Amino acid sequence: MTSPRAAVYPRTLPLRDGTVVSLRLMTAADAGRIASFARSLPEDDLLFLRTDITDPTAVALWVRNLEAGLATTVIAEVNGETAGYASLVQNRVAWQRHLGEIRTQVGLSHRSRGLGRALAGEIFAIGRARGLRKIVAQMTTDQKGAIATFERLGFKPEALLQDFVVDHAGRTRDLVVMAYDVTGLTEFVE
């Protein structure tokens, strides 16, 4: 296995359209900015998040997980505005310690520029540096855009869980679990 690149933050990264994005690790000082960013997202983007990140209490829990080493979040900014983020969430359960879960959001005005892919690359590099073997992503089957994005990144469906998610209206949705083998990853790691 090749040695993973050491991610150094803050740093800048050009996107496909030439936009320069600043990348840095999230800290407790970002709680208000993340909640504001979440409130700017379309309702559909927020519908199936694990927690309501428009709620400051939920964001405070996120910050506690960062401080406890259970999550790492890379924030992308364009001209001082939060453009998106990607988080790597790890489970300390002994039999899942080789796994990390990716959670990502990109603001509407910053989509289709390669930002989601760039943020995923950051998470892959962090996961690989930590010795993780697999990164998983979870989404409902009707989130076609998210599924297509993760497929382009090389994720493969591994499980379909029927009626596993309940939306705000009480309707159930199927959940797809997709995974990527980090140990075989070479594309994102320099």
Side-chain angles (χ1 to χ4, degrees):
M1 173 166 53
T2 61
S3 128
R5 77 175 165 189
V8 177
Y9 300 102
R11 65 190 184 92
T12 59
L13 176 73
L15 300 180
R16 282 192 308 250
D17 68 352
T19 301
V20 176
V21 175
S22 297
L23 300 176
R24 63 182 181 78
L25 295 177
M26 181 177 164
T27 68
D30 294 309
R33 290 175 55 110
I34 286 291
S36 293
F37 169 73
R39 286 190 292 274
S40 76
L41 294 170
E43 181 67 27
D44 284 351
D45 286 6
L46 301 172
L47 191 57
F48 300 111
L49 295 180
R50 297 275 182 113
T51 59
D52 178 6
I53 62 172
T54 64
D55 178 2
T57 304
V59 177
L61 177 60
W62 183 354
V63 167
R64 284 195 299 279
N65 286 336
L66 292 171
E67 292 169 343
L70 298 174
T72 301
T73 300
V74 177
I75 294 178
E77 297 174 320
V78 175
N79 298 323
E81 170 194 343
T82 302
Y85 71 84
S87 287
L88 176 65
V89 180
Q90 293 176 257
N91 189 333
R92 296 294 164 97
V93 176
W95 53 278
Q96 288 186 334
R97 67 186 177 279
H98 67 296
L99 300 176
E101 182 180 349
I102 185 173
R103 300 177 186 169
T104 184
Q105 285 288 339
V106 174
L108 270 179
S109 62
H110 301 287
R111 294 180 184 173
S112 300
R113 297 178 176 181
L115 180 56
R117 184 177 182 86
L119 286 167
E122 295 298 314
I123 293 305
F124 285 137
I126 291 167
R128 194 164 200 201
R130 291 189 180 161
L132 296 181
R133 295 183 189 152
K134 194 172 266 201
I135 304 253
V136 297
Q138 300 181 43
M139 64 221 65
T140 60
T141 55
D142 57 339
Q143 292 177 288
K144 303 292 187 204
I147 291 169
T149 297
F150 280 99
E151 284 175 338
R152 281 192 300 275
L153 291 169
F155 280 72
K156 304 285 185 226
E158 293 209 353
L160 176 64
L161 306 171
Q162 294 183 346
D163 298 326
F164 210 73
V165 175
V166 177
D167 67 19
H168 295 302
R171 292 182 306 254
T172 60
R173 313 268 179 124
D174 296 344
L175 182 77
V176 63
V177 178
M178 301 180 78
Y180 195 101
D181 176 12
V182 176
T183 56
L185 179 69
T186 57
E187 180 180 353
F188 292 109
V189 180
E190 297 172 349

